[in-house]
Amino acid sequence: MKKILFFLVLTATQIIHSQVLVSPSKSVQATFRLTASGQPVYAVSYKDKAIITKSALGFELKDLPALQDNFEVVSTATRSFSENWKPVLGEVASIKNEYNELKVFLRHKSDNKLLNIVFRAFDEGIAFRYEFPKQDNLNFFVVKNELTAFNLTGDHKTFWIPGDYDSNEYVYLETPISGIDVAKVDTDNGIGAPGRLEKYRVQTPLMMKSKEGIYINIFEAAAINYPVLHLDTDVKNNSFKANLAPNAIGDKAYLQTGFVSPWRTIMVSNDARDIVASKMILNLNEPSKLEDTSWIRPMKYVGIWWEMHVNRGTWNYADKYETDVNKLIPNGKHSATTANTKHYIDFAAKNGFDGVLIEGWNTGWEEWTGNWKEEVFDFTTAYPDFDVKALESYAKSKNVKLIMHHETAGSVANYERRLDRAFTFMKDNGYDAVKTGYVGKIIPRGEWHDGQTMVNHFNYVPQRAAEYKIMVNSHESVRPTGVSRTWPNYIAAEAARGNEFNGWSVGNPPAHETILPFTRLLGGPMDYTPGIFEIKMSYYDPKKTEQVHTTLAKQLALYVTIYSPLQMAADLPENYERYADAFQFIKDVALDWDDTKVLEAEPGDYITIARKAKGKEQWFLGAITDEQARETTLKLDFLTPGKKYQAIVYEDGPAADWEKNPISYKIRKLTVTSKSKLNLKLAAGGGAAVSFFPL
Amino acid sequence: MKKILFFLVLTATQIIHSQVLVSPSKSVQATFRLTASGQPVYAVSYKDKAIITKSALGFELKDLPALQDNFEVVSTATRSFSENWKPVLGEVASIKNEYNELKVFLRHKSDNKLLNIVFRAFDEGIAFRYEFPKQDNLNFFVVKNELTAFNLTGDHKTFWIPGDYDSNEYVYLETPISGIDVAKVDTDNGIGAPGRLEKYRVQTPLMMKSKEGIYINIFEAAAINYPVLHLDTDVKNNSFKANLAPNAIGDKAYLQTGFVSPWRTIMVSNDARDIVASKMILNLNEPSKLEDTSWIRPMKYVGIWWEMHVNRGTWNYADKYETDVNKLIPNGKHSATTANTKHYIDFAAKNGFDGVLIEGWNTGWEEWTGNWKEEVFDFTTAYPDFDVKALESYAKSKNVKLIMHHETAGSVANYERRLDRAFTFMKDNGYDAVKTGYVGKIIPRGEWHDGQTMVNHFNYVPQRAAEYKIMVNSHESVRPTGVSRTWPNYIAAEAARGNEFNGWSVGNPPAHETILPFTRLLGGPMDYTPGIFEIKMSYYDPKKTEQVHTTLAKQLALYVTIYSPLQMAADLPENYERYADAFQFIKDVALDWDDTKVLEAEPGDYITIARKAKGKEQWFLGAITDEQARETTLKLDFLTPGKKYQAIVYEDGPAADWEKNPISYKIRKLTVTSKSKLNLKLAAGGGAAVSFFPL
């Protein structure tokens, strides 16, 4: 269902003052106008309260006059739009995309350059973007700076991470806008070498909450051929300004007219659940460019991965690098062996998993990191103890798919020039999913993960992969901006601080996973790799003090609260076998959904989500809390009325505590209907996971 | 035949003063020593005359102490080497590689870093390179500056072009060292946008002549994974210092121990012919890495190319770019049409040519230059009027090979990521040779044509091409340094100012082609594209004043004086048909040779070369002069004694003059033997070409 309700064009003479755009329910409003000097500005209000006050729009261009003021409005156009579309994989079976749109056609009076600004008002917030239409006076051009500003109305609480151009893998800090200061960030928190940091620069999505209890989120959608959006904070004036990662020579974006910028988004609600449930970011992306999507499917997987994080094995086969594979001297600790892979395949097959990821299968790991080495991996040469052909047969016989790992070490030049060969090798050996990795400084040297060149790369790989019918899960990539709508084989990304940090660093504090749905997850599925049951690393080595900062039950809940059609059961098979009753939830939980209900949400505190499995009368619920214990009573009115379900509740034991007693859990079964209520007690750093199977 | 005559290792205690290395004939000598401060220095002499006086060696490294002084000699080793090897394609059937070698093992006393310097003394000159052996204290490192210096003994005459990191396509200036000044260069001489220029920076090969008549050439060999050598001139002290193009962030080279630098070469002789005839640069390169070279063969070709240079047609199909090929509006002037290609195929077949080059066959030319556009060509989409499949069949039926053109516009990132697809497309459509092009500023932005990244690219393409059995001819590439010995499918390069400049710029002065054999050609074959018969562009447009700066006869001579196994007959078929008797020489001349004799040579003045066709009793001779008319009498003692030959002499007409009467030529036939003498009169800017066929 797609309908355009009306379309109205006003000529310049009809424009008296400002242009106002309201959302379908009229709760959200955007205002556009030109100032006396011809500067384009906008404002946003929510239920008649100012959210964004008069804020600048425009650009500085290289070697050209700035598109900053001296504009006139040529004309405006408005339209209303409503459609429902079905994601290939998603949180809901059908997504409603409904907005009113205002398009302002501007002319820069001094040089006749044309710039359009398009506003869309959704009920969850405002989005706008810049259009550089084809025009006689401008073809190729270079953006020096984007001038977009976001002037807030108060010193709101913010959940922020530093504006590192190279990494999103930070713990969120919770401060007022006035308290934003990158000097407060513990850069020794597991990030080896942070990229460029600035004292007041933060990343988007930036989640905020006003003193009046209004939730505001600044983000972007459809970052294509353009750097992703960082924000420079004016800590005195509650204000942010767009900041873009430069390329190697200091420019921000090389563009050609006919270009549309990413959408800048301001989501707003007095109910935090609206932010989490919003599909605005996806809606602002283009529909799928893939016609045949039959080969794109959700995947639950295990992998040769966590055992290296806990020092049970190594990615590298030898301790010393040799160009000639045959000269490598095995260190005896290599994890990605044929035998070990078969062990994982057996485990996956026995437990109904779709796939097995193998990291460290290919040559190059002896010198992979920290050297800024260009020819670091070739993506087609296996270590001598990894028999690609034998494993292809074995996996096939067990009906399990192998997931290939392509670590690039940031050497994108090397990866791109080998990409066709790498994908051909995958298809020749039965792989149809790849986990990519971008640990380290980028090559071409001088580029950043968040710059235009790399944004293009991260969008390019899934497009190229689609030609081979390969699904992509990127790690250490730029954070996504809903582009998985357009390239649905881009099934997941990391692009935030994942569970792995708990294995070998100060880790992720208990609040971390309650913030992700308000930030990183707005852009698309995250491969967080939950499911760590052996919470404390002292299990592996008594000297270790690192641990996962959740209870075991919360690890289960994450399979529901963190949406992804690709979910790993990250722990070792032996640990799952030891906690087989709890493992049952991971085996049961769905990956693709007909419906999603955000039952409770408060960023930094807690979140509770229920989801209905795609095409099945099964529901799964996850509830998590931060470092505070929490009790909640949930109405189960999301269940189909008149049906009886067996609810299996995986919850924290009475004395559970993420720090002191994290593995303590209990499982209870009860019969429920849509009229039932469910009481859940979450330990400090705890959670609960519930399956609902129809009786 | 390969023999190592002796190998001698001296321990440190045996080293008293300096180490002296002499060439096999003892004419050339290199001296190495450490100064009192432990700085490595070298000197070169020729027949007991100093050529290079004490000059620095060493490096500045990034974030590490400089490898500049404070060295000690750990040991030295010497050896003598002699071999004869057969090039796949070449000027001679067998190349003698004979030298004495001195290897100095240095230890940097402050930090124990190891650095070896290897000297080779050939009878044509000295070469040395740096070795960074594998060592405990150093693995990955970054070169900030190379400190190699070349201190000459006088204010020699030099033939130089500016040290532009992006282009070699300059007219040579002839000045004393003290007169080197890039401000003297006419940068409006056809180079659209020069790269980075510095007042006293010049390129290698740098050809010099001392007042005493000694010819000296500073160059390099085997530039692999390292920027090519530029020179900063100290105009007051007759001295040069190595300069390397930086990468985007200002570093010179990212290296790993186990690395050997390119060879720095100082060729020296009192006979200019020795410089031209030397195979020292090739000898310093590694033997062929290709086992099967049967598919590498010389090619004489015509092409859809000059007609665009003279405005008879366009590379672009439309005047306005459209992403969608079907929306392109033809401009009616597109040259690379199916019909026109068939016309060239017919002409090639009729005249016994091997190939036809087609430029402008593929989409993207509407916006190809000047925009720094990244996704500029895709290398697989033909314009609508170019029927790839039909032309494959047609060319095959005529036994003619088509040569594909891959212009990158400098967007190497784009080319590398498409390279496998581009080569696959070539093989799928019957192409086995490619002309690559690199007009424009490099992408990744911030890189230069002459930097490490691009040197790697230019070496990478032939390696990748070899896997597809594709021969490579690169234009606007870095100038070669003998690497075609290692990758013999890299059959030619432009990398100097070619004939094309004569079509639309101030052109190449008559001396130009007499300098190339002393400079550019030392590094490998050049695709100069000679054979322009319609010398004056007024032929095409009465308003035009541009012209080729030679006579027609000199154009013929260039097929012999400029060595290349790939030679174009660059003019239009119709012009060759109009001068069919002169064209006969181009049809006859060989491309691959059993023997070469440099009969006369003086840089900037004249050169005369005779070559014997591979496997045939046929000789071809080319003699050219600069703007001065010249008469010479040649002994034909290179011919096989006792045999009679018909000599066909293509020479300037009596009133010929490159400027006033360039097309005037005459052809005479005579019978000669090895005892004959041949008198040749070359007009100003003229030349003569001679075929010798056995009777």
Side-chain angles (χ1 to χ4, degrees):
Chain A
M1 194 270 295
K2 180 185 282 198
K3 52 178 174 165
I4 295 177
L5 295 177
F6 69 95
F7 198 94
L8 176 66
V9 177
L10 296 174
T11 62
T13 53
Q14 292 171 287
I15 298 163
I16 315 297
H17 292 298
S18 52
Q19 299 290 311
V20 176
L21 179 73
V22 296
S23 72
S25 74
K26 305 199 167 30
S27 59
V28 184
Q29 181 175 309
T31 308
F32 170 85
R33 68 182 173 91
L34 291 181
T35 64
S37 68
Q39 182 191 26
V41 296
Y42 78 102
V44 174
S45 66
Y46 171 72
K47 294 186 176 170
D48 298 327
K49 279 187 183 152
I51 301 297
I52 304 277
T53 58
K54 180 187 141 186
S55 296
L57 298 164
F59 293 91
E60 288 176 349
L61 304 182
K62 189 176 183 180
D63 303 328
L64 288 173
L67 298 175
Q68 184 165 17
D69 48 20
N70 207 19
F71 279 103
E72 64 180 1
V73 174
V74 179
S75 64
T76 66
T78 60
R79 63 170 184 150
S80 294
F81 183 84
S82 181
E83 69 167 351
N84 286 285
W85 60 276
K86 291 185 193 308
V88 176
L89 304 173
E91 295 180 271
V92 291
S94 176
I95 294 175
K96 188 175 191 178
N97 181 17
E98 191 173 47
Y99 56 81
N100 294 325
E101 183 178 289
L102 164 69
K103 187 165 176 173
V104 184
F105 297 83
L106 298 173
R107 180 165 51 217
H108 197 229
K109 286 191 277 184
S110 57
D111 57 5
N112 279 321
K113 288 195 178 52
L114 304 177
L115 177 69
N116 307 332
I117 307 179
V118 183
F119 291 87
R120 287 185 183 170
F122 297 81
D123 283 336
E124 311 104 293
I126 297 294
F128 60 88
R129 75 174 175 195
Y130 302 93
E131 293 183 355
F132 290 86
K134 285 280 176 203
Q135 53 194 284
D136 292 341
N137 288 324
L138 192 62
N139 190 10
F140 292 90
F141 63 102
V142 179
V143 170
K144 211 164 88 178
N145 277 307
E146 181 182 325
L147 301 173
T148 306
F150 304 87
N151 298 325
L152 282 300
T153 59
D155 191 12
H156 306 328
K157 179 162 79 177
T158 59
F159 299 87
W160 60 272
I161 55 176
D164 184 341
Y165 293 150
D166 262 348
S167 177
N168 333 84
E169 302 191 6
Y170 284 92
V171 169
Y172 289 91
L173 276 81
E174 187 180 328
T175 74
I177 295 173
S178 60
I180 288 174
D181 181 354
V182 171
K184 293 176 181 173
V185 175
D186 176 13
T187 51
D188 191 29
N189 70 0
I191 300 287
R196 190 181 292 181
L197 296 177
E198 292 287 339
K199 191 168 173 63
Y200 298 119
R201 185 168 301 150
V202 296
Q203 300 204 29
T204 65
L206 181 69
M207 187 63 210
M208 288 174 279
K209 185 182 184 181
S210 76
K211 290 186 181 69
E212 298 79 21
I214 296 176
Y215 299 88
I216 303 163
N217 183 290
I218 298 177
F219 190 29
E220 66 179 324
I224 291 169
N225 194 25
Y226 199 83
V228 293
L229 181 66
H230 289 248
L231 298 172
D232 281 335
T233 315
D234 179 343
V235 292
K236 290 185 182 146
N237 295 301
N238 308 321
S239 176
F240 299 95
K241 214 171 73 181
N243 173 271
L244 308 173
N247 74 355
I249 58 169
D251 299 320
K252 304 302 171 62
Y254 280 71
L255 300 174
Q256 183 171 16
T257 50
F259 174 80
V260 294
S261 81
W263 293 95
R264 278 63 188 93
T265 62
I266 300 121
M267 295 165 72
V268 54
S269 179
N270 54 12
D271 186 337
R273 298 176 303 177
D274 292 342
I275 306 288
V276 173
S278 171
K279 296 290 166 284
M280 192 172 136
I281 302 299
L282 281 179
N283 280 332
L284 288 163
N285 277 269
E286 292 295 310
S288 173
K289 290 192 187 289
L290 308 182
E291 294 198 1
D292 171 19
T293 57
S294 60
W295 50 280
I296 300 168
R297 59 184 194 290
M299 283 188 99
K300 202 182 292 175
Y301 74 104
V302 291
I304 297 179
W305 180 76
W306 187 246
E307 62 179 80
M308 289 87 95
H309 284 280
V310 300
N311 282 336
R312 279 267 178 103
T314 59
W315 280 269
N316 45 305
Y317 170 81
D319 288 335
K320 188 169 166 296
Y321 177 77
E322 297 287 349
T323 313
D324 180 351
V325 180
N326 300 313
K327 289 189 180 157
L328 289 169
I329 300 162
N331 64 11
K333 296 181 289 178
H334 184 225
S335 285
T337 65
T338 305
N340 197 29
T341 306
K342 284 185 177 176
H343 171 59
Y344 275 83
I345 293 170
D346 291 342
F347 180 80
K350 182 178 155 198
N351 293 290
F353 280 69
D354 306 289
V356 173
L357 166 74
I358 309 105
E359 295 204 358
W361 68 275
N362 60 328
T363 56
W365 288 94
E366 288 74 19
E367 291 188 333
W368 77 286
T369 188
N371 300 314
W372 225 1
K373 181 179 177 181
E374 180 161 349
E375 298 284 313
V376 53
F377 294 105
D378 73 3
F379 312 101
T380 54
T381 307
Y383 279 129
D385 58 351
F386 187 81
D387 187 334
V388 175
K389 277 292 162 202
L391 288 168
E392 178 187 9
S393 307
Y394 193 77
K396 200 169 180 187
S397 76
K398 297 279 182 170
N399 199 26
V400 167
K401 278 287 186 183
L402 298 182
I403 301 173
M404 187 159 279
H405 185 223
H406 285 168
E407 176 57 54
T408 68
S411 184
V412 168
N414 179 52
Y415 190 40
E416 289 203 355
R417 71 169 72 102
R418 294 174 188 275
L419 201 55
D420 275 310
R421 289 169 184 228
F423 286 161
T424 300
F425 180 82
M426 283 181 63
K427 296 307 277 191
D428 287 350
N429 292 291
Y431 292 76
D432 61 5
V434 65
K435 173 182 173 178
T436 58
Y438 296 90
V439 172
K441 291 162 80 178
I442 298 300
I443 299 175
R445 296 188 181 91
E447 299 294 338
W448 303 98
H449 284 69
D450 284 0
Q452 181 187 26
T453 294
M454 285 297 292
V455 166
N456 285 343
H457 172 78
F458 293 124
N459 290 332
Y460 174 75
V461 170
Q463 292 176 66
R464 181 66 67 94
E467 296 177 38
Y468 294 85
K469 300 195 174 177
I470 287 173
M471 296 181 283
V472 176
N473 165 28
S474 67
H475 279 233
E476 301 87 28
S477 61
V478 77
R479 78 285 183 290
T481 55
V483 294
S484 57
R485 180 182 179 190
T486 308
W487 299 293
N489 65 317
Y490 194 177
I491 51 169
E494 185 189 41
R497 199 170 163 93
N499 218 6
E500 63 188 1
F501 276 81
N502 287 311
W504 35 258
S505 80
V506 297
N508 308 339
H512 187 64
E513 297 94 344
T514 72
I515 302 169
L516 290 174
F518 292 90
T519 53
R520 162 65 184 81
L521 299 183
L522 296 174
M526 177 173 181
D527 186 31
Y528 187 74
T529 67
I532 299 298
F533 281 8
E534 276 303 344
I535 299 289
K536 287 181 180 273
M537 299 308 115
S538 55
Y539 173 80
Y540 301 100
D541 177 351
K543 291 193 296 289
K544 284 196 176 181
T545 56
E546 293 85 358
Q547 72 158 97
V548 176
H549 295 66
T550 74
T551 62
L552 185 149
K554 183 171 171 181
Q555 287 290 307
L556 297 179
L558 297 178
Y559 287 89
V560 182
T561 61
I562 295 178
Y563 167 67
S564 179
L566 179 85
Q567 289 280 20
M568 187 177 204
D571 213 335
L572 310 184
E574 62 185 71
N575 294 340
Y576 289 134
E577 279 161 1
R578 217 165 38 257
Y579 304 102
D581 55 351
F583 183 52
Q584 187 62 41
F585 182 80
I586 301 179
K587 290 165 68 174
D588 289 340
V589 68
L591 300 167
D592 194 22
W593 311 96
D594 270 341
D595 203 3
T596 286
K597 303 287 183 191
V598 181
L599 304 178
E600 306 175 302
E602 180 63 29
D605 291 346
Y606 57 83
I607 192 159
T608 306
I609 296 179
R611 303 189 197 267
K612 179 176 173 295
K614 184 73 133 277
K616 289 183 187 169
E617 193 48 57
Q618 296 179 0
W619 286 78
F620 296 88
L621 181 147
I624 61 169
T625 182
D626 62 1
E627 70 285 351
Q628 305 286 338
R630 180 164 190 266
E631 185 168 355
T632 184
T633 300
L634 303 170
K635 285 187 196 169
L636 304 185
D637 54 3
F638 52 83
L639 295 172
T640 307
K643 278 204 188 294
K644 275 191 182 174
Y645 299 81
Q646 183 184 50
I648 308 174
V649 183
Y650 303 76
E651 57 194 340
D652 296 318
D657 177 282
W658 72 270
E659 195 169 13
K660 298 190 196 82
N661 190 17
I663 297 181
S664 170
Y665 64 91
K666 60 192 171 69
I667 300 171
R668 61 179 156 123
K669 296 183 181 177
L670 55 161
T671 302
V672 297
T673 69
S674 65
K675 293 180 177 164
S676 306
K677 290 185 177 177
L678 179 65
N679 184 261
L680 294 176
K681 289 183 182 167
L682 314 182
V690 189
S691 321
F692 299 91
F693 297 108
L695 286 170
Chain B
M1 191 270 294
K2 178 185 286 199
K3 53 179 176 165
I4 295 176
L5 295 178
F6 68 95
F7 196 96
L8 175 67
V9 177
L10 296 173
T11 62
T13 52
Q14 293 173 288
I15 299 164
I16 316 295
H17 293 297
S18 52
Q19 299 290 311
V20 176
L21 178 73
V22 295
S23 71
S25 75
K26 304 198 168 30
S27 59
V28 185
Q29 180 176 312
T31 308
F32 170 85
R33 68 180 173 92
L34 291 180
T35 65
S37 68
Q39 181 190 26
V41 295
Y42 78 102
V44 174
S45 65
Y46 172 71
K47 294 185 176 172
D48 299 326
K49 278 188 184 150
I51 300 299
I52 304 278
T53 58
K54 178 186 142 186
S55 296
L57 298 165
F59 293 91
E60 288 175 350
L61 304 182
K62 188 176 184 180
D63 303 328
L64 288 172
L67 298 175
Q68 184 165 17
D69 49 20
N70 206 19
F71 278 103
E72 65 180 0
V73 174
V74 179
S75 64
T76 65
T78 59
R79 63 169 185 150
S80 293
F81 183 86
S82 180
E83 67 167 352
N84 287 284
W85 59 278
K86 291 184 194 307
V88 177
L89 305 173
E91 294 180 273
V92 292
S94 176
I95 293 176
K96 187 175 191 177
N97 181 17
E98 190 173 47
Y99 56 82
N100 293 325
E101 182 177 290
L102 164 69
K103 186 165 177 172
V104 184
F105 297 82
L106 298 174
R107 178 165 51 216
H108 197 230
K109 286 191 279 185
S110 57
D111 58 5
N112 279 321
K113 287 196 178 50
L114 304 178
L115 177 69
N116 307 332
I117 306 179
V118 183
F119 291 86
R120 287 186 183 170
F122 298 80
D123 283 335
E124 309 104 294
I126 297 294
F128 61 87
R129 75 174 175 195
Y130 302 93
E131 294 183 354
F132 290 86
K134 285 280 176 204
Q135 53 194 284
D136 292 341
N137 288 324
L138 191 63
N139 190 11
F140 292 90
F141 63 102
V142 179
V143 170
K144 210 163 91 179
N145 277 308
E146 181 182 326
L147 301 173
T148 306
F150 304 87
N151 298 325
L152 282 299
T153 59
D155 191 13
H156 306 329
K157 177 163 80 177
T158 60
F159 300 86
W160 60 272
I161 55 176
D164 184 341
Y165 293 151
D166 262 348
S167 179
N168 332 84
E169 302 190 8
Y170 284 92
V171 168
Y172 289 92
L173 277 80
E174 187 181 328
T175 75
I177 295 173
S178 61
I180 288 174
D181 181 353
V182 171
K184 293 177 181 172
V185 175
D186 176 13
T187 52
D188 191 29
N189 70 0
I191 300 288
R196 189 182 292 181
L197 296 177
E198 292 287 339
K199 191 169 173 62
Y200 299 120
R201 185 168 300 151
V202 296
Q203 300 204 30
T204 66
L206 181 68
M207 187 63 210
M208 289 173 278
K209 185 181 183 182
S210 77
K211 291 185 181 70
E212 298 79 23
I214 296 176
Y215 299 87
I216 305 164
N217 182 289
I218 298 177
F219 191 28
E220 66 179 325
I224 291 169
N225 193 24
Y226 199 83
V228 293
L229 182 65
H230 289 249
L231 297 173
D232 280 335
T233 315
D234 179 343
V235 291
K236 289 183 183 149
N237 294 301
N238 308 320
S239 176
F240 298 95
K241 215 171 74 180
N243 173 271
L244 308 173
N247 74 355
I249 58 170
D251 299 320
K252 304 302 171 63
Y254 280 72
L255 301 174
Q256 182 171 16
T257 50
F259 174 80
V260 294
S261 80
W263 293 95
R264 278 64 187 93
T265 62
I266 300 122
M267 295 166 72
V268 55
S269 180
N270 54 11
D271 186 338
R273 297 177 303 175
D274 292 342
I275 308 288
V276 173
S278 172
K279 296 291 167 283
M280 191 173 136
I281 302 299
L282 280 180
N283 280 333
L284 288 163
N285 278 269
E286 293 295 309
S288 172
K289 291 193 187 287
L290 307 182
E291 294 199 2
D292 171 18
T293 56
S294 61
W295 50 279
I296 300 169
R297 59 184 195 290
M299 282 187 100
K300 202 182 293 175
Y301 73 105
V302 290
I304 297 179
W305 179 76
W306 187 246
E307 62 180 79
M308 289 88 94
H309 284 279
V310 300
N311 282 335
R312 279 268 179 104
T314 59
W315 280 268
N316 44 304
Y317 170 81
D319 288 334
K320 188 170 166 295
Y321 178 76
E322 297 287 349
T323 312
D324 181 351
V325 179
N326 299 313
K327 290 190 180 156
L328 288 169
I329 300 163
N331 64 11
K333 297 180 289 178
H334 183 225
S335 285
T337 64
T338 305
N340 197 28
T341 307
K342 284 184 178 175
H343 171 61
Y344 275 83
I345 292 170
D346 291 342
F347 180 80
K350 182 178 154 197
N351 292 291
F353 281 68
D354 305 289
V356 173
L357 165 75
I358 309 108
E359 295 204 358
W361 68 276
N362 59 329
T363 57
W365 288 93
E366 288 74 20
E367 291 188 333
W368 79 285
T369 188
N371 300 313
W372 227 1
K373 181 180 178 181
E374 180 161 350
E375 298 284 314
V376 52
F377 293 105
D378 73 3
F379 312 103
T380 54
T381 307
Y383 279 128
D385 58 351
F386 187 81
D387 187 334
V388 176
K389 277 293 163 202
L391 287 167
E392 178 186 11
S393 307
Y394 192 77
K396 200 170 180 185
S397 76
K398 298 279 184 169
N399 200 26
V400 167
K401 279 287 185 181
L402 298 182
I403 301 172
M404 188 159 277
H405 185 224
H406 286 169
E407 176 57 55
T408 68
S411 184
V412 168
N414 179 52
Y415 191 40
E416 289 203 354
R417 71 170 72 103
R418 295 174 187 274
L419 200 56
D420 275 310
R421 290 170 184 227
F423 285 162
T424 300
F425 180 83
M426 283 180 63
K427 295 308 277 192
D428 287 349
N429 294 291
Y431 291 76
D432 61 5
V434 65
K435 173 182 172 178
T436 58
Y438 297 89
V439 172
K441 290 163 80 178
I442 298 300
I443 300 175
R445 296 188 180 92
E447 300 293 338
W448 303 98
H449 284 69
D450 284 1
Q452 182 187 26
T453 295
M454 285 298 292
V455 167
N456 285 344
H457 172 79
F458 292 123
N459 290 332
Y460 174 76
V461 171
Q463 292 177 66
R464 182 64 68 92
E467 298 176 37
Y468 294 85
K469 299 194 175 177
I470 288 173
M471 296 182 283
V472 177
N473 164 28
S474 66
H475 278 233
E476 301 87 27
S477 61
V478 77
R479 77 284 183 290
T481 55
V483 294
S484 58
R485 180 181 179 191
T486 309
W487 300 293
N489 64 317
Y490 193 176
I491 52 170
E494 184 189 41
R497 198 171 163 94
N499 218 6
E500 62 188 2
F501 277 80
N502 288 311
W504 36 257
S505 80
V506 295
N508 308 338
H512 187 63
E513 298 93 346
T514 72
I515 303 169
L516 289 174
F518 292 90
T519 52
R520 162 66 184 82
L521 298 183
L522 295 174
M526 176 172 180
D527 186 31
Y528 187 75
T529 66
I532 300 297
F533 281 9
E534 276 304 342
I535 299 288
K536 289 182 180 270
M537 300 308 115
S538 54
Y539 174 80
Y540 301 99
D541 177 352
K543 291 192 295 291
K544 284 195 176 182
T545 57
E546 293 86 357
Q547 73 158 96
V548 176
H549 296 67
T550 75
T551 62
L552 186 149
K554 183 170 170 181
Q555 287 290 307
L556 297 179
L558 297 178
Y559 287 89
V560 182
T561 61
I562 295 179
Y563 166 67
S564 179
L566 178 86
Q567 289 279 22
M568 187 177 204
D571 212 334
L572 310 184
E574 63 186 69
N575 294 340
Y576 289 134
E577 279 161 1
R578 218 166 36 256
Y579 305 102
D581 55 351
F583 183 52
Q584 187 63 42
F585 182 80
I586 301 179
K587 290 165 69 173
D588 289 340
V589 68
L591 301 167
D592 193 24
W593 311 97
D594 271 342
D595 203 3
T596 286
K597 303 287 181 191
V598 182
L599 305 178
E600 305 175 302
E602 180 63 27
D605 290 347
Y606 57 84
I607 191 159
T608 306
I609 296 179
R611 304 189 197 265
K612 180 178 173 293
K614 185 74 133 277
K616 288 184 187 169
E617 193 49 55
Q618 295 179 358
W619 286 78
F620 296 88
L621 182 146
I624 62 171
T625 182
D626 62 1
E627 70 286 352
Q628 305 285 338
R630 180 164 190 265
E631 184 168 355
T632 184
T633 300
L634 303 169
K635 286 187 193 167
L636 303 185
D637 54 5
F638 52 83
L639 295 173
T640 308
K643 279 203 187 295
K644 275 191 182 173
Y645 300 80
Q646 184 185 49
I648 309 172
V649 182
Y650 302 77
E651 58 193 339
D652 296 318
D657 177 283
W658 71 271
E659 196 168 14
K660 298 189 196 82
N661 190 17
I663 298 182
S664 170
Y665 63 91
K666 57 191 172 71
I667 301 172
R668 59 180 157 124
K669 298 183 181 177
L670 54 162
T671 301
V672 299
T673 70
S674 65
K675 292 182 178 160
S676 306
K677 290 184 179 178
L678 179 64
N679 185 261
L680 294 175
K681 288 184 183 166
L682 314 183
V690 188
S691 321
F692 298 91
F693 298 108
L695 286 169

